């Protein structure tokens, strides 16, 4: 549920009036004409959990940023000895294609062998991860890497730019820190040292090639999903691509595998005027938001299962006939239960991956299955190595991002795959006769009902920095909402990485507090298995615990 459910905008879930639509010509003009000031923190290159995001109107995503970042990537990959092809693709946000053009000008100047989509087709994030891994399979040299140009489900005025190294998934913190530092040096120097050719020349050079991402991805998808079962069950499937990069992938999937699948909208419009407004009155292509997904939810009775993905198709949304839109945590738990009992070729040691702010229902399901739980900080990059080596069968995060192994237990993608994760819902329904909503209801009966919510609390820049550095010793409480505290975590149990905040766990609930990367707030995630009143008590006590921990100064 949204952190601001109590502040619900009056137009949430309704079509937006013309005045909320982004002015696309102004957005693109600002991309090319506005010059960011590298001495201002908000205008510098800043990689979050995986990429640089911003808006040209805020001087945080302009041509100078992309030229600097691409130059930094070229230098980084050369220093790392990465000299194979680079796969590049972009989504349907208005700033994505301008950023693609800028990147191509630098890549061509560096004589990088670039593979971009045929006919300038939009390219989903998982298709790029798949292409990198397919190219690198069995190779020790000439390794490929990639660039994904997308701000994910962010509003239409935003742009995003990510680098995926040869392991196919989001870059590590060490890699993004190196690229960020180099890019900001170039920004500060007025782009002195950036190599560049014109875009027309970049398309003509011998190092630029075309690649059929869609054909390669769709043809291989049968090694992940049991389409024979879906087809035999005769399921009626509905899909809303939300005007995103996979808009032409779903029809190709339906045709190749003989599915009764209806794409409910193929509209692509950089203003995303066809979206209903999210909880705060903004346009956001979030497939897990009941407000953004109002149109598809309204069609639920037409289909056995309806599916959606965000703009770059790395996140999934599931609308089940039984319950409507599933909260992401519910679907992740249902996926874990289904996949680990219906993938006989997966290793018996393949662990269950989850972010530490995902539901503890997943913990309970994993324990019942006898599977190791691999709990990591927020960020899909922490699942990459586990998926690559088959150590993880599945990795999922509370914001509806997930990927899984092929049916034979080998790696599929190491970035989030909204398409494959959504199609698991169809396979699950076909093979068990229960849709994902019914599957989760069975888990709730067995393990207890979960109440889960994220809320926000104000925090200054210095308080956020202190929260990110807290030590467990800063927490002196012995109970949370009447239950003994079992764990106080500032590092993730799975990989020992710092979580950039705090997590406190009891037998019946938990909370995690993390600073926002963009706002003067910190986020409190909380869950209870004892009802809504208990959840509210956890949230209230969590604020006090965090405040006292910050006052103690234990970092």
């Amino acid at each position: 549920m949204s952190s601001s459910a109590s502040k619900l905008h009056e137009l949430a879930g309704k079509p937006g009036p013309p005045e909320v639509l982004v002015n696309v010509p102004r957005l693109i003009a600002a991309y090319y004409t506005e010059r960011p000031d590298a001495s201002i923190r908000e205008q510098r290159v800043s990689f979050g959990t995986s990429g640089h995001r911003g808006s040209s109107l805020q001087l945080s995503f302009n041509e100078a940023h992309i030229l600097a970042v691409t130059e930094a990537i070229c230098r980084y990959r050369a220093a790392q000895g990465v000299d194979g092809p680079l796969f590049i693709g972009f989504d349907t946000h208005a700033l994505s294609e301008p950023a693609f053009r800028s990147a191509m000008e630098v890549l061509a100047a560096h004589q990088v062998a670039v593979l971009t989509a045929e006919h300038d087709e939009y390219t989903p994030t998982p298709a790029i991860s798949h292409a990198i891994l397919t190219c690198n399979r069995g190779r020790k040299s000439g390794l490929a890497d990639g660039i994904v140009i997308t701000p994910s489900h962010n509003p239409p005025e935003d742009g995003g730019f990510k680098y995926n190294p040869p392991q196919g998934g989001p870059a590590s913190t060490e890699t993004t820190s190196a690229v960020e530092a180099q890019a900001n040096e170039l920004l500060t120097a007025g782009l002195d040292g950036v190599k560049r050719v014109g875009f027309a020349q970049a398309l003509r050079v011998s190092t630029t090639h075309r690649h059929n991402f869609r054909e390669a991805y769709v043809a291989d998808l049968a090694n992940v999903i049991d389409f024979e079962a879906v087809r035999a069950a005769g399921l009626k499937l509905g899909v809303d691509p939300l005007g995103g990069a996979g808009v032409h992938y779903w029809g190709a999937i339906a045709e190749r595998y003989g599915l009764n699948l209806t794409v409910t909208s193929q509209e692509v419009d950089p203003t995303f005027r066809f979206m209903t407004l999210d909880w705060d009155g903004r346009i956001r292509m979030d497939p897990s938001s009941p407000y953004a997904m109002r149109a598809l939810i309204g069609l639920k009775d037409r289909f056995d299962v309806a599916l959606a993905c965000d703009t770059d198709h790395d996140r999934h949304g599931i609308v089940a006939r039984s319950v409507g839109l599933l909260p992401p945590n519910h679907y992740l738990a249902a996926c874990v239960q289904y996949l680990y009992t219906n993938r006989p070729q997966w290793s018996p040691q393949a662990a269950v991956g989850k972010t530490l702010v995902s539901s503890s229902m997943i913990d309970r399901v994993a324990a019942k299955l006898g599977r190791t739980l691999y709990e990591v900080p927020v960020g899909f990059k922490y699942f990459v190595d586990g998926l690559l080596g088959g150590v993880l069968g599945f990795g999922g995060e509370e914001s509806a991002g997930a990927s899984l192994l092929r049916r034979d237990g080998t790696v599929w993608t190491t970035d989030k795959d909204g398409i494959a994760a959504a199609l698991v819902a169809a396979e699950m329904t076909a093979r068990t006769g229960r849709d994902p909503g019914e599957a989760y209801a069975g888990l709730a009966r067995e393990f207890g009902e979960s109440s889960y919510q994220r809320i926000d609390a104000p925090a200054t820049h210095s308080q956020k920095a202190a929260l990110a550095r807290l030590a467990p010793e800063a927490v002196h409480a012995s109970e949370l909402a009447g239950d003994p505290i079992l764990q106080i975590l500032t590092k993730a149990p799975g990989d020992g990485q710092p979580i950039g905040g705090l997590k406190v766990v009891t037998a019946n609930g938990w909370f995690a507090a993390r600073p926002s990367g963009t706002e003067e707030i910190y986020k409190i995630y909380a869950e209870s298995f004892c009802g809504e009143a208990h959840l509210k008590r956890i949230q209230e006590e969590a604020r006090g615990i965090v405040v006292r921990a910050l006052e103690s100064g234990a970092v």
Side-chain angles (χ1 to χ4, degrees):
M1 180 179 288
S2 161
S3 59
S4 300
S6 60
K7 306 173 188 173
L8 200 62
H9 194 279
E10 61 183 359
L11 294 178
K14 299 178 181 178
E19 57 265 26
V20 307
L21 301 180
V22 67
N23 184 323
V24 172
R26 185 177 301 164
L27 189 70
I28 294 176
Y31 173 83
Y32 286 110
T33 61
E34 297 293 333
R35 297 287 180 262
D37 183 345
S39 68
I40 300 173
R41 180 166 58 90
E42 292 78 11
Q43 296 181 24
R44 291 167 65 82
V45 172
S46 177
F47 278 77
T49 52
S50 63
H52 171 72
R53 292 184 188 175
S55 175
S56 62
L57 300 176
Q58 303 297 322
L59 276 77
S60 51
F61 193 93
N62 304 81
E63 184 180 45
H65 295 104
I66 304 310
L67 295 174
V69 172
T70 310
E71 176 71 28
I73 289 171
C74 287
R75 296 182 184 186
Y76 178 83
R77 70 194 302 270
Q80 297 296 313
V82 179
D83 56 1
L86 183 143
F87 294 92
I88 187 169
F90 57 92
D91 76 2
T92 55
H93 277 80
L95 289 174
S96 294
E97 190 161 350
F100 164 74
R101 288 170 169 259
S102 301
M104 288 294 291
E105 294 176 355
V106 177
L107 293 167
H110 280 269
Q111 298 181 313
V112 173
V114 173
L115 288 162
T116 184
E118 290 186 349
H119 314 298
D120 295 322
E121 176 71 86
Y122 303 114
T123 308
T125 288
I128 293 178
S129 180
H130 174 265
I132 295 169
L133 295 175
T134 300
C135 181
N136 290 343
R137 190 175 298 131
R139 285 194 184 192
K140 300 297 183 185
S141 60
L143 296 178
D145 55 0
I147 290 174
V148 190
I149 304 175
T150 172
S152 191
H153 63 294
N154 278 27
E157 62 269 22
D158 284 4
F161 201 85
K162 302 192 299 181
Y163 174 59
N164 284 23
Q167 27 78 319
S172 68
T173 302
E174 292 74 20
T175 296
T176 56
S177 295
V179 171
E180 178 185 302
Q182 177 76 82
N184 281 320
E185 285 182 20
L186 291 164
L187 268 188
T188 302
L191 301 181
D192 183 35
V194 173
K195 293 183 180 180
R196 183 183 186 186
V197 300
F199 181 64
Q201 182 181 348
L203 294 182
R204 289 196 306 267
V205 296
S206 61
T207 51
T208 296
H209 309 279
R210 296 290 181 173
H211 180 70
N212 195 333
F213 286 97
R214 185 176 66 192
E215 171 65 21
Y217 176 91
V218 172
D220 206 8
L221 200 52
N223 291 307
V224 184
I225 303 296
D226 184 354
F227 286 113
E228 293 179 10
V230 178
R231 184 172 58 250
L235 294 183
K236 290 181 65 176
L237 305 175
V239 175
D240 188 346
L242 302 182
V247 64
H248 299 139
Y249 279 57
W250 293 101
I253 291 169
E255 182 178 357
R256 174 175 285 271
Y257 298 111
L259 306 182
N260 183 3
L261 185 154
T262 301
V263 180
T264 62
S265 173
Q266 297 195 58
E267 185 173 2
V268 174
D269 180 337
T271 68
F272 294 87
R273 68 180 71 236
F274 48 81
M275 292 294 300
T276 49
L277 301 183
D278 205 359
W279 62 272
D280 57 356
R282 300 187 71 189
I283 294 175
R284 196 177 283 111
M285 289 62 70
D286 183 353
S288 63
S289 165
Y291 308 104
M293 286 279 284
R294 187 61 56 87
L296 190 61
I297 295 169
L299 299 175
K300 77 176 181 69
D301 293 334
R302 282 182 48 190
F303 304 107
D304 295 302
V305 186
L307 318 170
C309 288
D310 69 338
T311 323
D312 69 318
H313 274 48
D314 72 341
R315 299 178 191 231
H316 57 268
I318 309 299
V319 177
R321 192 189 288 265
S322 62
V323 296
L325 182 67
L326 268 78
N329 277 311
H330 291 195
Y331 183 58
L332 294 180
C335 274
V336 170
Q337 169 67 29
Y338 173 76
L339 289 169
Y340 286 82
T341 52
N342 287 276
R343 290 295 185 268
Q345 289 182 272
W346 285 11
S347 165
Q349 283 73 48
V352 176
K354 61 164 271 196
T355 51
L356 62 93
V357 296
S358 299
S359 173
S360 288
M361 181 68 83
I362 298 168
D363 307 40
R364 298 179 180 205
V365 172
K368 176 71 180 294
L369 294 168
R371 296 284 180 158
T372 300
L373 187 75
Y374 187 74
E375 191 171 7
V376 301
V378 174
F380 207 79
K381 59 190 173 187
Y382 298 107
F383 294 132
V384 170
D385 290 342
L387 290 168
L388 192 61
V391 175
L392 294 178
F394 177 87
E397 54 186 20
E398 85 298 336
S399 55
S403 193
L404 62 151
L405 297 180
R406 295 169 183 266
R407 293 157 72 184
D408 68 0
T410 59
V411 65
W412 167 242
T413 64
T414 48
D415 214 327
K416 298 187 288 277
D417 189 339
I419 299 173
L423 285 167
V424 169
E427 182 189 322
M428 180 190 305
T429 306
R431 293 190 61 178
T432 69
R434 300 191 303 168
D435 70 31
E438 293 166 326
Y440 181 79
L443 296 179
R445 287 191 296 271
E446 182 174 0
F447 300 112
E449 289 281 357
S450 159
S451 299
Y452 177 102
Q453 191 180 38
R454 196 202 93 193
I455 60 174
D456 296 338
T460 64
H461 183 70
S462 59
Q463 286 173 326
K464 291 198 302 176
L467 176 58
R469 300 193 307 269
L470 274 183
E473 294 75 29
V475 176
H476 301 293
S478 59
E479 290 189 350
L480 175 65
D483 295 321
I485 290 175
L486 303 178
Q487 289 180 296
I488 300 171
L489 303 171
T490 56
K491 294 183 177 180
D495 58 5
Q497 292 292 321
I499 64 179
L502 174 73
K503 183 173 183 179
V504 176
V505 184
T506 73
N508 294 309
W510 58 269
F511 81 83
R514 298 181 61 250
S516 168
T518 56
E519 301 174 85
E520 296 301 282
I521 59 171
Y522 68 91
K523 305 170 185 180
I524 299 176
Y525 303 80
E527 183 175 33
S528 168
F529 283 82
C530 297
E532 291 289 333
H534 189 247
L535 174 67
K536 297 299 181 190
R537 188 176 169 189
I538 290 175
Q539 292 169 333
E540 290 167 7
E541 293 186 17
R543 287 192 187 94
I545 289 173
V546 170
V547 169
R548 288 190 294 275
L550 292 175
E551 289 173 347
S552 78
V555 294

